[in-house]
Amino acid sequence: MAPQRNAGAGAEAELPEYAGHYRLESRLGSGGMGVVHLARSTSGLKLAVKVVHAQFARDREFRGRFRQEVAAARRVSGAFTAPVVDADPEAERPWMATLFIPGPTLAEHVKRNGPMPSPQLRRLMAGLAEGLRDIHRVGVVHRDLKPSNVLLAEDGPKVIDFGISRPKDSELRTETGKLIGTPPFMAPEQFRRPREVGPSADIFALGSLLVHAATGRGPFDSDSPYVVAYQVVHDEPDLTGVPEGLAPLVLRCLAKEPEDRPSPDELMRELRSVAASYDTRAFLAEAFIPAQRTEQTAPTGAVPGHQVEPEPEEPEELKEPEEPGTAEHGSGPGADAGELPAGQAAARRSARPPLSKRALFGGGALALAVFGTLFSLQLLGDEAQERRTTGVRTTAAAFRAWEVAPSGEQGTPQCSYGAGRLFCALPGQVFALDPDDGGTLWRHTVARSAPGGPPVVSGGLVQSAPSRGDGPAALHPASGKPVWRQDTAESGGLAVAGDTLLLTGADGTVTGVDSASGDTGWTGRIPGHGVPLFDSFAGDPLAYATSTSDDGLHTRVTAVDPRTGEVRWDARLTGMLKPVGTTGGSVVLTSADPVYGETEALVRYTPDSREVRRVALSVPLAQVQGTVHGEVAHLTGAGGRVVAVDMGALRQRWSLETGAARTSAPVADARHVFLTAPDGRLLAVDARVGRLVGQTGPRMADASDRVVAALPEPVLADGHVYAAAPDGTVFAVDGRDPADW
């Protein structure tokens, strides 16, 4: 059996034929984090095998989260989940095999058949309450219970996808700052106090899920996750259409305070008093089995009985709602407000207080009170819109802010600066912009796949990240015409280090390619590394190969001359480490917890003296991205927190909650730290005191319910800041006075 081509997300040329000793028979579906295959055990048992995408397999923090998912799934494996059969989170391509469960998800069932009648709802609620009781008994909180994570199997509902679950007794020394879940099914405390989420959050999600099953919509319904977040925290749920006998119990599940919600045992007692009999098999035979979808009839991208993560992310921040108004909110009879009688639809709309943009997202105390660590979308009213469209004059007389949509398509461009131009990439194209006014200088068409990163100038040429199945290519910066192309595609990684490209093959062989000519300079293995990951930094002539031990307790760091492949120094350091920059002859690395993947400290390693200095963070950060300017490291993480650590004085300078759900990697100069938010805002933070000093207006795509998966970092050049937004625009502002944005 030949390896299967991947038509899903992820820039992989080939998919594996085996996961461990399981032969992968066919692909069931593909998502942002991995591909799910149908496989069989030696005895013929059908399995669903999730294989992580190659790019995430190279991410240490993702490996930590995947280990957590496997551990949680094993911990709860039983009658109400898809049992884990086998897993190897330490494999070159991590994988997990669970029992294949035929049957639709609740989301698919409601989409296909419409809202459920009252008897089916009672039995569904009882089955899920029983499942949550068993999940909570082993100390796990699911935190993302939603219709697509509930399977309607022949023997009862199953809860799946423990990718963001956590033990409720987890010793996380955290405050706020990590926001994960799906807004319509998140409890108020997941927005207000995300570090204090307990089992009651799953009960709230169960209430929302029951409203969806009964009506085809949620109790808090909007096209925007930002509005839904406000409604969850402040508004009363809309239970129109929920059967009268179940509405009081559902309302208790949706209580704003966790202590006011019933436990799973209380739910089951209440439901027994409502319905005298509970025959799951008869109920499912009547309601669900005719709607089952087998692996032979599943459409491309669908996974029967198994949820595949949506396009990224996820790792692990605000997930996008499940196509409100289309697939799940508008496909069944009466599933959307527009299909209700006019009086009911109007009553539902009028039952909620009007939410103006300024009331929801205005600056000052109201935004902080409403969203806490979530959004704080300031200046989203008429003033911000005017600023966006008129091109406000900045403090520099010779420079005017500009905004262009060079591709005419939505989607966030990935950009970099070099050779006096701004170079950007979108699926299917690479283009160059004039940094003074945003004019398009040239456009080059490439294979239409998600770019692996922004184009980068190296060796005097524009190095375009390889498309799926292709090798790297170099373009002339003035014309965009191809100068050379590598025929062999890299499959283990690509890094740009000075004037050299470092291509890592799946077998760990590294090839150094001259950026100017495309000629191979050297090929070989890096001693002590299986498949090394390379990091390089502006102004540093070396590239740093890192490999973490299987238990995550040690990291081998090797400094390599990228031009020759010569090893300059080698060290085995304690912890799961990743380089983020260099300063004064030392390398600065993040140090993450090997189980949960959260960064707890920064490490400064000086190779000349072999000295290791460690600076603990006041609050651990998840999904960390970082940069070093001078002796100060700036970090961002899930939840929108920004941290500054002085690696010279070995102390944390400041920590700031930006109010964004998450942010891009930071870019810093001596005065400011710049980063972008998912809604297209560019934020500026005072680098000395950690205070937010400026931000642009949002630039969201038309489908404002979609949360951007990847956030390209801003580009800082000649005192100007260039950024890109989900609506497809690239814009420029003066970086010297963010208050004037």
Side-chain angles (χ1 to χ4, degrees):
M1 174 178 173
Q4 304 156 1
R5 290 282 178 181
N6 175 26
E12 302 168 21
E14 299 284 346
L15 288 172
E17 187 176 354
Y18 284 90
H21 58 273
Y22 301 106
R23 188 180 182 89
L24 307 180
E25 296 184 351
S26 61
R27 195 184 68 177
L28 296 174
S30 177
M33 297 300 171
V35 180
V36 179
H37 304 263
L38 178 66
R40 291 182 187 271
S41 68
T42 305
S43 64
L45 188 68
K46 280 188 176 182
L47 304 175
V49 181
K50 177 192 289 187
V51 181
V52 171
H53 282 315
Q55 65 265 39
F56 295 112
R58 300 191 295 268
D59 186 321
R60 299 171 185 80
E61 291 193 9
F62 179 83
R63 279 185 177 269
R65 294 196 299 273
F66 189 73
R67 281 194 293 268
Q68 174 185 312
E69 176 180 0
V70 172
R74 278 176 164 155
R75 197 169 178 179
V76 304
S77 189
F80 302 97
T81 62
V84 177
V85 176
D86 199 357
D88 187 357
E90 310 304 334
E92 181 178 321
R93 295 281 297 281
W95 58 271
M96 177 173 64
T98 61
L99 187 66
F100 177 82
I101 299 176
T105 65
L106 175 60
E108 291 173 328
H109 175 82
V110 173
K111 177 181 177 181
R112 185 184 300 115
N113 302 309
M116 290 180 172
S118 181
Q120 296 176 0
L121 289 170
R122 287 196 299 268
R123 289 163 182 149
L124 174 67
M125 191 174 193
L128 290 175
E130 196 169 0
L132 288 179
R133 179 199 62 185
D134 283 11
I135 290 170
H136 294 165
R137 275 179 175 174
V138 297
V140 171
V141 182
H142 191 284
R143 302 202 305 171
D144 197 25
L145 185 67
K146 58 184 178 181
S148 60
N149 283 344
V150 173
L151 292 175
L152 303 179
E154 190 173 87
D155 59 346
K158 309 287 186 184
V159 178
I160 60 170
D161 195 351
F162 291 84
I164 65 171
S165 61
R166 279 198 188 281
K168 62 184 179 184
D169 56 355
S170 174
E171 297 180 0
L172 292 175
R173 299 184 301 278
T174 55
E175 303 169 353
T176 57
K178 184 168 185 178
L179 207 76
I180 56 179
T182 306
F185 302 95
M186 291 170 67
E189 61 267 27
Q190 288 180 275
F191 298 107
R192 297 181 304 198
R193 303 181 300 274
R195 292 298 185 186
E196 301 175 19
V197 172
S200 292
D202 289 343
I203 300 299
F204 188 96
L206 176 60
S208 296
L209 183 147
L210 262 293
V211 176
H212 176 87
T215 67
R217 55 166 176 79
F220 308 98
D221 211 20
S222 172
D223 289 341
S224 169
Y226 303 90
V227 176
V228 170
Y230 180 91
Q231 294 170 344
V232 167
V233 174
H234 294 281
D235 288 1
E236 291 303 312
D238 180 5
L239 302 187
T240 304
V242 177
E244 185 176 345
L246 284 178
L249 194 54
V250 171
L251 189 61
R252 287 183 60 197
C253 293
L254 294 172
K256 300 299 183 188
E257 299 302 325
E259 59 270 20
D260 295 333
R261 299 171 203 148
S263 68
D265 285 324
E266 290 177 294
L267 282 175
M268 287 187 286
R269 284 196 299 271
E270 293 283 345
L271 287 165
R272 278 196 295 270
S273 68
V274 174
S277 63
Y278 175 35
D279 184 353
T280 303
R281 182 173 292 275
F283 156 58
L284 288 166
E286 172 190 354
F288 300 147
I289 302 304
Q292 284 185 10
R293 179 184 295 159
T294 67
E295 64 268 28
Q296 285 79 21
T297 60
T300 301
V303 182
H306 292 273
Q307 168 72 2
V308 179
E309 294 91 336
E311 193 66 31
E313 30 207 303
E314 24 331 280
E316 315 309 351
E317 59 278 345
L318 261 181
K319 296 183 182 178
E320 65 184 47
E322 300 169 14
E323 301 182 334
T326 56
E328 290 187 24
H329 289 256
S331 54
D336 190 87
E339 300 180 32
L340 293 172
Q344 286 189 33
R348 182 198 299 174
R349 290 191 295 269
S350 63
R352 294 181 178 144
L355 303 175
S356 70
K357 288 181 179 179
R358 286 186 181 273
L360 275 177
F361 306 124
L366 179 60
L368 294 175
V370 170
F371 291 105
T373 63
L374 179 58
F375 295 114
S376 180
L377 299 182
Q378 301 173 359
L379 301 175
L380 213 157
D382 298 336
E383 181 182 351
Q385 287 297 321
E386 179 182 355
R387 184 180 309 164
R388 174 184 174 183
T389 55
T390 58
V392 132
R393 182 178 60 83
T394 66
T395 55
F399 179 80
R400 287 182 63 87
W402 54 259
E403 174 184 334
V404 297
S407 70
E409 300 179 9
Q410 298 199 345
T412 309
Q414 301 187 47
C415 302
S416 70
Y417 182 88
R421 291 170 170 80
L422 199 64
F423 301 102
C424 303
L426 275 170
Q429 57 184 300
V430 176
F431 47 89
L433 302 180
D434 187 324
D436 293 331
D437 57 16
T440 300
L441 301 176
W442 53 258
R443 190 185 312 275
H444 178 72
T445 301
V446 297
R448 191 170 184 83
S449 62
V456 178
V457 175
S458 174
L461 300 177
V462 181
Q463 309 296 331
S464 175
S467 304
R468 184 164 53 239
D470 294 329
L475 309 176
H476 196 285
S479 65
K481 294 182 178 179
V483 177
W484 60 261
R485 175 184 294 278
Q486 278 273 354
D487 294 331
T488 303
E490 55 84 27
S491 57
L494 181 147
V496 179
D499 291 336
T500 304
L501 304 184
L502 298 175
L503 283 70
T504 303
D507 63 351
T509 300
V510 181
T511 302
V513 177
D514 182 81
S515 300
S517 65
D519 296 335
T520 297
W522 60 274
T523 299
R525 303 292 295 267
I526 307 300
H529 296 267
V531 181
L533 302 172
F534 284 98
D535 292 282
S536 64
F537 308 101
D540 188 335
L542 300 179
Y544 300 93
T546 52
S547 296
T548 303
S549 60
D550 289 343
D551 58 10
L553 299 180
H554 297 90
T555 300
R556 186 161 188 169
V557 184
T558 304
V560 177
D561 185 331
R563 298 167 301 175
T564 63
E566 177 187 352
V567 173
R568 295 296 181 87
W569 55 261
D570 182 74
R572 186 173 184 266
L573 305 177
T574 300
M576 190 166 71
L577 309 179
K578 175 178 172 54
V580 292
T582 58
T583 178
S586 300
V587 182
V588 178
L589 309 99
T590 58
S591 177
D593 179 273
V595 176
Y596 296 112
E598 294 188 319
T599 294
E600 300 176 320
L602 284 179
V603 170
R604 177 172 181 159
Y605 175 70
T606 306
D608 289 345
S609 62
R610 299 189 178 182
E611 181 184 44
V612 178
R613 304 297 297 271
R614 182 182 175 90
V615 184
L617 301 183
S618 59
V619 176
L621 287 174
Q623 302 173 36
V624 162
Q625 303 177 85
T627 187
V628 177
H629 181 80
E631 289 197 326
V632 180
H634 297 97
L635 306 177
T636 62
R641 184 184 292 270
V642 187
V643 176
V645 180
D646 190 325
M647 299 307 296
L650 298 176
R651 64 179 180 86
Q652 181 173 311
R653 278 191 175 181
W654 51 259
S655 175
L656 171 70
E657 294 283 0
T658 63
R662 58 197 174 96
T663 65
S664 68
V667 175
D669 59 17
R671 297 180 59 190
H672 298 109
V673 182
F674 302 100
L675 41 136
T676 55
D679 58 7
R681 285 178 299 147
L682 174 66
L683 309 178
V685 177
D686 188 309
R688 296 162 294 182
V689 297
R691 179 170 57 89
L692 187 66
V693 293
Q695 60 180 314
T696 65
R699 293 171 168 85
M700 299 181 70
D702 290 342
S704 60
D705 59 303
R706 300 302 177 104
V707 179
V708 179
L711 296 175
E713 63 189 54
V715 177
L716 182 60
D718 298 330
H720 307 144
V721 186
Y722 305 92
D727 63 358
T729 59
V730 179
F731 60 97
V733 293
D734 194 304
R736 290 170 289 186
D737 189 6
D740 199 32
W741 290 354

